[in-house]
Amino acid sequence: MATNQQVKLLGFAGSPFVARAELALKLKGVQYEYIQESLTNKSDLLLKSNPVHKKVPVLLHNNQPICESLVIVEYVDETWTGHPILPSDPYHRALSRFWSRFIEDQVMPPVFKAAWNPNKQERVKGAEEAREALKILDKELKVNGKFFNGDSVGFLDIAALIIFYWVPIIQEASEFNVYSGDKYPKLGKWSQEVLNDPVVKGVLPPRDVLLSFFKARFQSIVNSK
Amino acid sequence: MSKGEEEVKLLGAWPSPFVLRARIALNMKSVRYEFLQETFGSKSQLLLQSNPVHKKIPVLIHGDKPVCESLIIVEYIDQVWSSPPSILPSHPYDRAVARFWAAYLDEKWFPAMKSVQGAKGEEERKALMQQLEEGLALMESAYHSVSKGKPFFGGDRVGYLDIAFGCYLGWLRVIESFSGLKLLDHAKTPGLAQWAQAFCAHDAVKPVMPETDKLIEFAKVLMAKAPPK
């Protein structure tokens, strides 16, 4: 039986990756201690718990560290009962994982390049690549119900939240445009369902705070020559 | 027809480490499957239809359903053919550790390995080789802590991380051969050297692991066809 003792989450407010871990924990009703990390002054606990990447989120369960946001989500799903996150059917489980990898490998890296690469040409290239990837996502992905796999927030909904909430803010801050609900009505409709879910709402950082943060980041990149 | 009885096909090619992962997993579960080899340099209609997003091998076609991405295929196989031996560790924490290292290998280590042959100049090549070495040092330490004295990352038996990592051994040997440098051996990575021997000798691995000599031949063909820089 899983215990709710000693569950800590090392995070950074505003991180979409930390939000994934929080969402999984909240969906399962797990009590946890949130420890805010500083990006510029990483704690000993963080460096010890994630020596390979030195990044958040890190979930500490009974002092054992679990790293990588999607690995954490799977761990939470397997450790605590109630509200299944991954589909039980093997094929739909594979599809959820497939699309989450697509988002991580094909959508987000070009988005980050479009947003923060110091070279303007690279940023333009990034935006092109992001648009291509989003086109494929919109074309090939099939939403089976209110959420990706039915009536409740699941693995791919959690993975895709970064596109639904963070990408519009990042693109506004960095003055490029690759995604909108109007441009991709299927993704847009799905995103509305996800963003309106009460548990999801509870993990979303305030939009204006994120926008300021990303604008400042973009300015510092553009201004440093 | 039950899930386990439907027809199984694997689209692949013998040199691919990713295809190898799927084949080892299928062997471990004693699943009968048809291996459909793609011709190097062209993509079959079936591949383009089954994996329209990436157009890449491996693709497992189970009944009429395609499953793509090697690690996702391995997890799928473990779930569908659920009788022993299990491929994923049984405890969630051990699974998380295995998945963590598999992600590290695919996202950080393998890209360095892939880039070595095409490195522009000695500086870049040296930097990449160093990255590979550092990664192997990490894996050596991971091996000791995960295996807890047993032969495999999976303990007494080959498991998910053994498959995820072991699939790269052939190409690692190719790099060693071309560079004249040892990366994984008894001096530098004694634990991994022993593990590699045991892994390659395993019943599920031996019949499908490509021979290093054949991979070297294949690599030479690849390099001859590569566009000039």
Side-chain angles (χ1 to χ4, degrees), chain B residues 16-212:
Chain B
S16 161
F18 306 109
V19 171
L20 185 57
R21 287 172 171 172
R23 298 187 81 186
I24 294 170
L26 288 165
N27 284 353
M28 284 187 64
K29 300 286 191 175
S30 305
V31 175
R32 286 176 47 166
Y33 67 98
E34 192 185 350
F35 185 47
L36 297 169
Q37 289 229 59
E38 290 288 312
T39 312
F40 179 65
S42 75
K43 294 177 200 253
S44 72
Q45 264 304 107
L46 184 57
L47 174 59
L48 297 174
Q49 267 168 359
S50 324
N51 191 356
V53 174
H54 298 298
K55 307 174 175 59
K56 282 184 174 173
I57 47 173
V59 181
L60 182 80
I61 305 178
H62 186 203
D64 58 351
K65 296 195 165 57
V67 182
C68 307
E69 300 290 284
S70 60
L71 293 177
I72 294 174
I73 292 172
V74 171
E75 295 232 28
Y76 177 86
I77 290 167
D78 199 33
Q79 200 192 348
V80 169
W81 290 276
S82 51
S83 37
S86 282
I87 296 177
L88 271 291
S90 40
H91 194 280
Y93 180 70
D94 298 327
R95 289 168 172 237
V97 171
R99 287 173 180 144
F100 171 87
W101 285 113
Y104 167 78
L105 287 165
D106 282 5
E107 289 159 35
K108 300 270 188 282
W109 192 73
F110 176 66
M113 191 164 108
K114 211 165 69 153
S115 305
V116 166
Q117 243 9 86
K120 301 177 192 73
E122 194 53 32
E123 280 298 306
E124 194 187 328
R125 210 182 59 82
K126 259 173 94 173
L128 289 167
M129 291 295 276
Q130 194 178 342
Q131 253 188 284
L132 288 184
E133 274 191 301
E134 284 166 2
L136 286 170
L138 277 179
M139 293 311 295
E140 172 79 7
S141 146
Y143 171 70
H144 286 292
S145 75
V146 169
S147 68
K148 301 183 186 48
K150 302 268 174 80
F152 300 109
F153 286 94
D156 283 317
R157 45 167 210 261
V158 158
Y160 179 83
L161 186 50
D162 299 284
I163 296 174
F165 187 24
C167 72
Y168 289 126
L169 286 169
W171 282 102
L172 191 60
R173 297 296 181 220
V174 172
I175 289 179
E176 287 179 334
S177 167
F178 281 144
S179 67
L181 285 170
K182 279 284 172 197
L183 292 167
L184 191 157
D185 72 354
H186 289 282
K188 291 184 173 164
T189 57
L192 290 182
Q194 243 182 313
W195 162 79
Q197 260 181 307
F199 179 78
C200 294
H202 190 277
D203 284 337
V205 176
K206 199 154 172 218
V208 291
M209 181 71 127
E211 290 164 35
T212 306

Side-chain angles (χ1 to χ4, degrees), chain A residues 1-224:
Chain A
M1 193 187 82
T3 82
N4 283 353
Q5 296 163 357
Q6 284 252 38
V7 183
K8 297 181 187 169
L9 182 67
L10 306 184
F12 178 72
S15 160
F17 305 105
V18 172
R20 288 172 173 169
E22 285 207 275
L23 188 44
L25 289 165
K26 286 192 196 289
L27 287 168
K28 294 284 195 181
V30 178
Q31 305 280 16
Y32 63 98
E33 182 192 345
Y34 180 84
I35 298 174
Q36 170 85 328
E37 284 287 329
S38 154
L39 289 186
T40 48
N41 189 17
K42 296 181 183 188
S43 72
D44 285 340
L45 182 59
L46 173 58
L47 297 175
K48 201 180 73 173
S49 311
N50 191 357
V52 176
H53 302 297
K54 306 174 177 54
K55 282 181 173 172
V56 294
V58 177
L59 182 74
L60 287 156
H61 186 202
N62 297 325
N63 293 318
Q64 288 186 310
I66 298 108
C67 310
E68 296 294 284
S69 62
L70 296 177
V71 175
I72 292 172
V73 173
E74 294 220 31
Y75 175 82
V76 170
D77 195 31
E78 287 167 356
T79 303
W80 286 278
T81 54
H83 195 117
I85 293 176
L86 271 164
S88 50
D89 170 74
Y91 178 64
H92 288 106
R93 185 173 285 209
L95 277 179
S96 293
R97 287 179 173 144
F98 175 85
W99 286 117
S100 72
R101 281 262 48 94
F102 183 83
I103 291 170
E104 294 298 80
D105 298 340
Q106 309 296 330
V107 177
M108 293 319 298
V111 167
F112 295 145
K113 188 160 92 174
W116 301 313
N117 192 293
N119 180 304
K120 172 136 204 212
Q121 267 175 315
E122 286 295 300
R123 290 203 297 274
V124 170
K125 213 170 126 199
E128 268 311 304
E129 290 163 2
R131 268 179 220 114
E132 284 308 307
L134 285 163
K135 247 189 252 176
I136 294 173
L137 188 70
D138 183 62
K139 179 168 176 248
E140 301 287 347
L141 185 148
K142 303 205 178 357
V143 182
N144 301 306
K146 190 170 157 189
F147 299 106
F148 175 69
N149 197 50
D151 292 326
S152 60
V153 172
F155 188 75
L156 186 60
D157 308 292
I158 296 174
L161 186 56
I162 190 174
I163 297 179
F164 302 152
Y165 193 70
W166 274 265
V167 170
I169 302 172
I170 290 170
Q171 66 186 14
E172 186 182 330
S174 287
E175 300 167 11
F176 68 101
N177 197 302
V178 298
Y179 169 78
S180 74
D182 294 330
K183 191 168 176 183
Y184 299 112
K186 178 170 64 181
L187 296 179
K189 180 166 178 280
W190 176 27
S191 83
Q192 279 312 304
E193 298 288 4
V194 176
L195 293 171
N196 283 332
D197 179 87
V199 185
V200 171
K201 278 189 185 171
V203 305
L204 296 178
R207 193 184 197 275
D208 51 353
V209 174
L210 276 185
L211 186 60
S212 305
F213 175 79
F214 288 131
K215 271 187 173 164
R217 190 169 178 186
F218 180 61
Q219 287 310 316
S220 77
I221 286 165
V222 168
N223 293 334
S224 60

